[in-house]
Amino acid sequence: MSGRSVSAAHARRNVIITAAIAGLAGLLFGYDTGIIAGALLTIQPEFSLGSFASGMVVGAVPVGAVFGAWFASGRSDRYGRRSLILISAAVFIVGAIGSGLAPDALLLIISRVVIGLAIGVASAVTPVYISEVAPADMRGSLVTFFQLAVTVGILVAYLTGLVFTDVNEGWRWMLGLGAIPAIILALGMLRLPNSPRWLVMTGQTDAAREALERVRPSGPEAIDQEIEEIQGTLGGETGTWKDLLRPAVKAALVVGIGLAILQQITGINTVIYYAPTIIQQAGIGSDSSAILASLGVGAVNVLMTVVALRLLDRTGRRTLLFIGVTGMSLSLFLLGGAFLGSSGTLSSVIAVLSLMVFVSSFAISLGPIFWLLNAEIYPLAVRSKAAAAGTMTNWFFNFLVSLTFLPLIDLLTQSGAFWFYGLVGLVTLWFCWKFVPETKGKSLEQIDEVFERRAAR
Ligand code: BGC
């Protein structure tokens, strides 16, 4: 035992820096999902892409991400969370440069799948890494750094899109520049330690103690106690896929997988990917005002995620879910209503306002809270597999919603489509009330007990 301990302020600073660096992985996620709408406009004429090929360019990332999350599932236990984040940064650099230089549509699609693989790994592992380093009373805020980086990535992508729209072959810059945050992520991760919980799980107790000493102000006894508590819940070895069927794990998976699906099928990405189109359809004529309004959507998403970050560990996850999901449903009903009458100033004002309320409500609820719960509710022995299952589901439904949004409008009209998402919002409200436990302030080990008790009932 080294017995070294750091001051409270020092430990706090270390843990915040750790979460901020790892959270950068979210920037890759946000940038690359946000950039494609703008990039596609100039890729389409250059490679003469029809709607199917365009769909492939867009869909390649979420499909790649499903496989990336699957790839990460077991490997995150074998090689550690930190190594996996480093691998994802390296793969991302290859994919970003490859897509920026792609000579034809096929290579572009392949590079986009590679980017998707990297994002899948990063989104399965990063929230888990942060949740395993964080002290219980800061975990909500710290894991939300990941979601904050996602929203910043989307906003930066919108702005980059604007800058390069009129540049010859500007899309190459838009896609290639994604390599920069990946390089920063790789350099930052090289300086960070492994997750203390992963170290305990793999029997490296001394290294775990050292990793904890950097981020906990408590003395050696408290750190030993934390290690014992982690060991106590481990029950031996790393879990297998079959262990996901244990009643307590199943109860947690209902929450994780349920929120993974609901986060997507309440329609957030119809707004993130199609905001300018929606705004134009609601009656704002010019391209520039539609783009400005979508920049507004991106900015509100960032700002309200900061609000969530400050509230999650105080107000709690459940309260924010109730408030946010109610706001999402109401604004979707209003947005649907804006398309009913003839298009004019009033309906476009209502449309823009309801889009803003919708995104704000998502940003304080399902946005950060899905990724947070998916990282904190599973027992350590199966955490990486279960979190990967939630992540795979989320990306699969992301893909499905973006594919079905335009056909859904053909089938139900715009009003019908948004009312449909609004109804799904009401189901989400019921789901949160019935299944989502409050995890605020609990250690990861205490959260296990919540699900053990639930399974025993
Ligand atoms: C979701 C993404 C979405 C983003 C918007 C994330 O939590 O998983 O699908 O694009 O939030 O901020």
Side-chain angles (χ1 to χ4, degrees):
M1 182 191 312
S2 68
R4 237 173 340 114
S5 60
V6 292
S7 72
H10 208 108
R12 204 179 142 81
R13 210 196 62 197
N14 281 348
V15 81
I16 290 176
I17 292 175
T18 305
I21 292 178
L24 270 181
L27 209 70
L28 314 181
F29 171 163
Y31 184 82
D32 245 77
T33 49
I35 197 71
I36 197 61
L40 201 60
L41 292 179
T42 54
I43 296 174
Q44 272 166 336
E46 186 167 336
F47 290 150
S48 323
L49 299 184
S51 56
F52 180 72
S54 305
M56 298 264 286
V57 172
V58 177
V61 165
V63 168
V66 172
F67 288 101
W70 171 78
F71 173 89
S73 55
R75 287 169 183 86
S76 155
D77 287 337
R78 208 168 320 141
Y79 305 112
R81 287 65 164 127
R82 175 178 171 271
S83 315
L84 266 277
I85 299 177
L86 273 167
I87 292 174
S88 89
V91 174
F92 194 91
I93 295 170
V94 173
I97 294 176
S99 55
L101 297 176
D104 54 34
L106 181 64
L107 277 176
L108 177 62
I109 292 170
I110 294 175
S111 311
R112 297 279 301 163
V113 172
V114 171
I115 289 182
L117 287 172
I119 295 181
V121 173
S123 54
V125 179
T126 310
V128 168
Y129 174 79
I130 301 177
S131 79
E132 291 185 344
V133 176
D137 61 344
M138 292 171 75
R139 196 178 53 244
S141 304
L142 293 177
V143 177
T144 299
F145 280 15
F146 173 77
Q147 173 70 12
L148 181 62
V150 172
T151 61
V152 171
I154 294 172
L155 183 61
V156 171
Y158 285 171
L159 289 168
T160 315
L162 263 186
V163 171
F164 288 101
T165 332
D166 296 325
V167 174
N168 185 30
E169 299 205 48
W171 65 270
R172 295 195 183 274
W173 286 104
M174 295 185 206
L175 299 184
L177 282 175
I180 293 178
I183 294 173
I184 301 176
L185 173 66
L187 293 177
M189 283 308 294
L190 283 173
R191 297 170 51 102
L192 297 185
N194 276 302
S195 146
R197 286 181 165 81
W198 176 75
L199 289 168
V200 172
M201 183 166 80
T202 47
Q204 306 176 65
T205 317
D206 288 339
R209 191 170 290 120
E210 256 174 56
L212 279 175
E213 276 165 358
R214 282 184 72 245
V215 289
R216 298 286 187 274
S218 31
E221 292 81 28
I223 287 179
D224 280 343
Q225 199 185 333
E226 186 167 348
I227 291 180
E228 267 167 39
E229 215 180 315
I230 300 170
Q231 282 166 334
T233 55
L234 209 53
E237 315 188 337
T238 318
T240 62
W241 286 103
K242 237 174 88 196
D243 291 321
L244 294 190
L245 299 177
R246 269 187 31 224
V249 182
K250 258 204 302 200
L253 273 171
V254 168
V255 176
I257 303 262
L259 287 179
I261 298 173
L262 294 167
Q263 194 213 38
Q264 293 298 321
I265 66 172
T266 35
I268 183 63
N269 286 317
T270 65
V271 175
I272 300 294
Y273 303 164
Y274 298 99
T277 319
I278 299 176
I279 289 164
Q280 269 184 340
Q281 286 173 347
I284 289 190
S286 73
D287 279 4
S288 54
S289 37
I291 290 177
L292 261 182
S294 49
L295 275 182
V297 165
V300 161
N301 196 11
V302 174
L303 285 178
M304 293 307 283
T305 307
V306 175
V307 172
L309 193 138
R310 302 193 66 87
L311 290 181
L312 272 163
D313 290 316
R314 282 187 235 163
T315 317
R317 286 62 158 155
R318 266 173 76 86
T319 311
L320 283 177
L321 275 174
F322 292 146
I323 298 172
V325 177
T326 306
M328 285 172 72
S329 265
L330 291 180
S331 54
L332 283 166
F333 288 126
L334 204 62
L335 181 59
F339 285 95
L340 272 189
S342 55
S343 65
T345 319
L346 181 66
S347 51
S348 44
V349 169
I350 296 180
V352 172
L353 281 182
S354 40
L355 276 183
M356 298 289 183
V357 176
F358 174 68
V359 171
S360 307
S361 310
F362 173 86
I364 56 159
S365 61
L366 284 179
I369 297 176
F370 158 65
W371 293 107
L372 171 59
L373 287 175
N374 192 51
E376 66 181 10
I377 57 178
Y378 309 115
L380 178 55
V382 291
R383 184 170 299 141
S384 74
K385 292 190 179 67
T391 307
M392 284 161 72
T393 311
N394 187 266
W395 281 108
F396 178 74
F397 279 86
N398 182 328
F399 174 67
L400 212 63
V401 170
S402 33
L403 208 65
T404 52
F405 176 52
L406 297 177
L408 195 68
I409 291 184
D410 286 343
L411 191 74
L412 302 176
T413 74
Q414 283 102 339
S415 306
F418 290 120
W419 287 339
F420 169 77
Y421 296 129
L423 283 177
V424 179
L426 295 183
V427 174
T428 308
L429 210 51
W430 167 82
F431 179 90
C432 294
W433 168 75
K434 179 125 181 73
F435 293 106
V436 178
E438 184 51 78
T439 52
K440 174 184 82 170
K442 294 191 167 67
S443 73
L444 295 177
E445 290 67 31
Q446 287 165 340
I447 298 174
D448 292 351
E449 286 163 22
V450 170
F451 286 101
E452 289 290 348
R453 279 200 299 274
R454 194 174 271 195
R457 277 213 298 265

